[in-house]
Amino acid sequence: MTHRLALCPGEPAGIGPDLCLALCQDPPPDTELVIVGDPKLFAQRAQQLNLSVDLQPFNPLAEKIPTAAGCLRVMPVELVAPVSAGELNVKNVRYVLTCLREATDGTVAGCFDALVTGPIHKGVINEAGVAFSGHTEFLAARCKRDLTVMMLATEGLRVALATTHLPLAAVPGAITKQSLERVIRILEQDLRQKFGISEPRILVCGLNPHAGEGGHLGREEIEVIEPVITQLQKEGLRLIGPLPADTLFTPRHLDNADAVLSMFHDQGLPVLKYKGFGAAVNVTLGLPIVRTSVDHGTALDLAGTGKADLGSLIYAVETACLMATYTQAANLKSEIH
C-alpha cells in the first residue's frame, strides 16, 4: 500500500528544505512525498547543495504513486520574501504558518494519509507578533481539539508528556485529576489505534523526587496521580506507578513497557534524547490525523552546508507510514462493526 504524506519543511532558512531534498534522493519505498512549500526555494537550495532534483507539481486527484529518486512533488505556497540559508527573516513567518495550515487542512480533508513536519523557529514567529508555543498546540487548535498529547519515540522507548511547554513553576498546578485522566486515556487509545498495541502497558512517573517519598517530598502523587491511576486500573488500563523518574528509566522497568508518561517536559525527554537523538520522532496524539515530526531544531548554522543529519526525518516518515497503516486498519474495523 502506498501512503501519501504531506511533508511541511518548516523554517525556510533552516535545514528543513535541505532534509526534504536529501530524502527525495533516496525516498522510502511505497511512499508518495508531497512537499508543501515554494518550488523556488527548493530549486535554489538544491543548487546550493549541488543536488539534482526534478520538481513536479502535485495533483491531489492523481493516483498515489511512490516518489521516484530525485523527484520532488510540490504543493505550492509562495514565499513572502527571498530566503538566504541560515538567516531568519520575520517576513516569512506568514509563509511558514500558511504551509503548516495547508498541510494540516489537507491531511484532515483526507488528501494525505499523514502529516510530517520539519523544524520551525518559535522565536521568529513570536517576534512577528504571533503567539506560538509549538506545533502541538497549533495542531490542536487547527484540528479543533482542546487537548492533545506530545510523545517522543525512539527505538525501544516512547515518552509521552502530561504537560508540555510550561514554566516549571506552573507544572504542579497544571496537573489535575481531570487533565491527567484525559492524557492517559488519549495515550492508551492512540497506542492501540495508531500503533497496533492491543493492551498497552504504561509506566507513570511521579512528579516529585522519589515520587513524593510518601508525602514528605510533595503530595501530588497522593492527592492527584495515585487516585487517577487506581481509577483507570479498575477499568482495565495497564498502568504502573507513580514511579520515581530517577529509577523508572532502567531496564527492569522499561523492558516490558510500551510507553512512559512523564509529568513535565524535562523529566522524560532528556532521557529519550540521550538514547536516540537524531533517530527519534515527535508524535502528536489525540488528533484526528497522524502527525509526526523531527526531534530537532532548525540548525541554522547547518542550512545550505549539506551536513544536516537525515536520520530523524527518515524515522518520522517511517513512523508516519506505520501509524497510517494501523489507523486505516482500525477505521476499517470500526466501519465493519
Side-chain angles (χ1 to χ4, degrees):
M1 176 187 297
T2 297
H3 292 298
R4 176 179 284 165
L5 307 185
L7 189 52
C8 194
E11 169 54 51
I15 61 171
D18 305 45
L19 296 176
C20 294
L21 288 163
L23 183 64
C24 81
Q25 301 300 307
D26 185 19
D30 301 322
T31 307
E32 182 179 25
L33 302 172
V34 180
I35 312 299
V36 182
D38 194 324
K40 297 191 298 294
L41 168 65
F42 298 104
Q44 175 189 349
R45 194 65 61 84
Q47 184 176 20
Q48 185 172 355
L49 295 169
N50 197 28
L51 292 175
S52 175
V53 61
D54 177 16
L55 296 171
Q56 302 175 347
F58 167 59
N59 180 4
L61 300 180
E63 181 182 353
K64 296 178 185 177
I65 300 175
T67 298
C71 294
L72 195 61
R73 293 192 180 93
V74 183
M75 180 177 176
V77 175
E78 189 174 356
L79 283 163
V80 177
V83 173
S84 295
E87 298 179 16
L88 295 173
N89 188 335
V90 71
K91 293 180 180 179
N92 275 322
V93 165
R94 181 159 57 87
Y95 164 79
V96 171
L97 296 179
T98 299
C99 289
L100 187 53
R101 280 193 296 269
E102 292 293 321
T104 303
D105 292 351
T107 310
V108 171
C111 182
F112 305 107
D113 298 312
L115 167 64
V116 178
T117 57
I120 53 176
H121 196 287
K122 299 173 193 172
V124 75
I125 295 176
N126 282 279
E127 286 174 17
V130 179
F132 191 94
S133 57
H135 274 113
T136 303
E137 295 81 3
F138 177 94
L139 291 166
R142 196 71 189 169
C143 294
K144 297 179 172 59
R145 292 291 192 270
D146 62 348
L147 180 66
T148 56
V149 176
M150 178 189 292
M151 183 177 80
L152 269 75
T154 189
E155 185 68 32
L157 181 61
R158 301 183 186 96
V159 177
L161 303 179
T163 61
T164 53
H165 301 113
L166 291 177
L168 191 56
V171 169
I175 300 174
T176 66
K177 288 181 181 179
Q178 181 184 33
S179 70
L180 185 59
E181 178 186 342
R182 293 182 67 197
V183 166
I184 292 174
R185 289 190 186 278
I186 289 172
L187 172 59
E188 198 266 350
Q189 176 176 297
D190 274 12
L191 286 173
R192 284 189 288 108
Q193 295 185 353
K194 294 180 178 177
F195 287 87
I197 303 170
S198 58
E199 294 183 348
R201 188 173 185 269
I202 301 169
L203 307 183
V204 182
C205 292
L207 173 65
N208 297 293
H210 300 179
E213 196 76 78
H216 296 287
L217 295 177
R219 296 193 57 81
E220 286 84 1
E221 286 78 12
I222 294 172
E223 296 175 359
V224 178
I225 302 174
E226 288 178 9
V228 172
I229 290 175
T230 299
Q231 173 195 333
L232 295 178
Q233 285 173 333
K234 290 177 180 178
E235 296 181 21
L237 276 69
R238 301 181 67 197
L239 307 176
I240 298 92
L243 298 172
D246 63 342
T247 55
L248 180 156
F249 291 99
T250 56
R252 181 169 70 90
H253 293 293
L254 292 178
D255 281 351
N256 296 310
D258 296 300
V260 173
L261 179 63
S262 171
M263 290 297 111
F264 56 94
H265 188 281
D266 282 12
Q267 182 184 54
L269 295 194
V271 180
L272 185 134
K273 292 196 174 186
Y274 176 77
K275 177 177 172 61
F277 191 74
V281 60
N282 187 340
V283 180
T284 305
L285 306 178
L287 294 174
I289 61 173
V290 170
R291 179 262 173 169
T292 67
S293 182
V294 295
D295 70 339
H296 55 72
T298 54
L300 295 169
D301 58 322
L302 297 179
T305 67
K307 297 179 181 179
D309 188 339
L310 193 58
S312 184
L313 181 59
I314 291 174
Y315 195 44
V317 167
E318 291 175 347
T319 303
C321 290
L322 177 70
M323 293 175 65
T325 298
Y326 282 120
T327 299
Q328 290 166 0
N331 291 340
L332 180 61
K333 184 177 180 181
S334 177
E335 290 173 5
I336 292 175
H337 292 287

